[in-house]
Amino acid sequence: MSWSLTNWHRNRILQHEGIADAVWQKLIHLRCLKGLSLEELLRLRECATLFLHDKKFYGAHELEITEEIRATIALQACILILNLDLDYYRSWSQIIVYPGEFMLDYDYEDEFGIVHHVQHAASGEAWSDGPLILSWQDALEPVSHLGENVVIHEFAHKIDMLYEGANGCPELHANMSAYTWHEVFSTAYKKFCRQVDRQQETVIDPYAAESPAEFFAVLSEAFFELPLVTQEHFPSVYEQLALFYRQDPAKRWR
Ligand SMILES: [Zn+2]
């Protein structure tokens, strides 16, 4: 795990800034941590401690940032990079937490130069090289049976954005094929969009049909929150995600 820390500095952070036992015991039952071995849990706790050292939390609407809020977000953020590297969350430091859903209100210019005004309620938002925004209420409780996890969703966007912008394809490892990734993801995405267009019931959040970037973020949520369902319904996507995240959550769940 790098992040350009000297061993001395790293050990000092782990010794003095570790997640308190009481908070850890409470959070160890998070659904996305199910089945992790003791060694993996220890590494996750260390990873979250180093993550918390690097990130600054701000409470919006007078929300008081507690240790529980910081640790809940850190542990779920770090499950994605447990077998990768903290550098996946480099180049930005702010995490803004609202008590509940918040309003997004901004203008953006599309590829044809037309300016659009966006205004809607959101439970999370990730800006490239900028802050990550979360609703605490949504970070704490899953919304439905569809495996939603807003923390995993937004951090998956951060990982995706690091390489060629948010397009649903993060920087792949040397043992992976970009061709296979694109084939697998675009085939599954088109099939899923057809299902949503026909208003058929879906096993994951239909929001995944919004764009390839959202498909990657929602499938990442499902990969960790509903691994058996994801493996059953999206076997090729599951395989690619297992190669990318270097984890096999379905195996942990069996
Ligand atoms: Zn999203």
Side-chain angles (χ1 to χ4, degrees), residues 124-126 150 153-154 157 207 210-211 213-215 217-218 221:
E125 177 82 353
V150 69
H153 183 103
E154 298 308 332
H157 278 319
Y207 184 66
E210 199 76 10
S211 68
E214 295 305 341
F215 190 69
V218 172
E221 289 174 71

Side-chain angles (χ1 to χ4, degrees), residues 188 191 203-204 219 222-223 226-239 248-251 254:
K191 190 176 161 196
V203 292
I204 59 162
L219 260 299
F223 178 74
L226 291 177
L228 297 172
V229 172
T230 309
Q231 193 179 40
E232 184 189 340
H233 292 265
F234 303 91
S236 308
V237 170
Y238 182 92
E239 202 181 317
D248 189 354
K251 201 171 157 192
R254 280 202 186 92

Side-chain angles (χ1 to χ4, degrees), residues 100-251:
E101 280 199 333
F102 51 91
M103 285 306 288
L104 284 177
D105 191 347
Y106 60 89
D107 294 324
Y108 80 94
E109 195 176 317
D110 69 16
E111 57 192 307
F112 307 109
I114 300 165
V115 176
H116 300 265
H117 184 67
V118 174
Q119 193 181 42
H120 64 88
S123 56
E125 177 82 353
W127 294 88
S128 184
D129 293 325
L132 189 141
I133 312 167
L134 290 165
S135 143
W136 171 232
Q137 197 187 355
D138 293 283
L140 194 59
E141 307 159 4
V143 186
S144 72
H145 62 284
L146 295 175
E148 285 115 319
N149 181 318
V150 69
V151 181
I152 290 178
H153 183 103
E154 298 308 332
F155 279 87
H157 278 319
K158 278 291 191 188
I159 290 171
D160 183 14
M161 283 166 178
L162 210 51
Y163 177 69
E164 295 180 349
N167 58 4
C169 182
E171 187 168 16
L172 303 177
H173 310 305
N175 65 337
M176 296 180 70
S177 150
Y179 175 80
T180 308
W181 179 282
H182 287 292
E183 276 294 300
V184 163
F185 269 81
S186 62
T187 306
Y189 177 62
K190 281 179 203 153
K191 190 176 161 196
F192 188 75
C193 288
R194 276 197 302 275
Q195 218 182 329
V196 172
D197 284 345
R198 290 180 193 142
Q199 299 186 324
Q200 289 168 349
E201 207 177 318
T202 55
V203 292
I204 59 162
D205 188 355
Y207 184 66
E210 199 76 10
S211 68
E214 295 305 341
F215 190 69
F216 169 69
V218 172
L219 260 299
S220 294
E221 289 174 71
F223 178 74
F224 288 102
E225 289 282 333
L226 291 177
L228 297 172
V229 172
T230 309
Q231 193 179 40
E232 184 189 340
H233 292 265
F234 303 91
S236 308
V237 170
Y238 182 92
E239 202 181 317
Q240 290 300 305
L241 290 174
L243 281 171
F244 177 69
Y245 289 118
R246 295 183 173 141
Q247 296 186 49
D248 189 354
K251 201 171 157 192

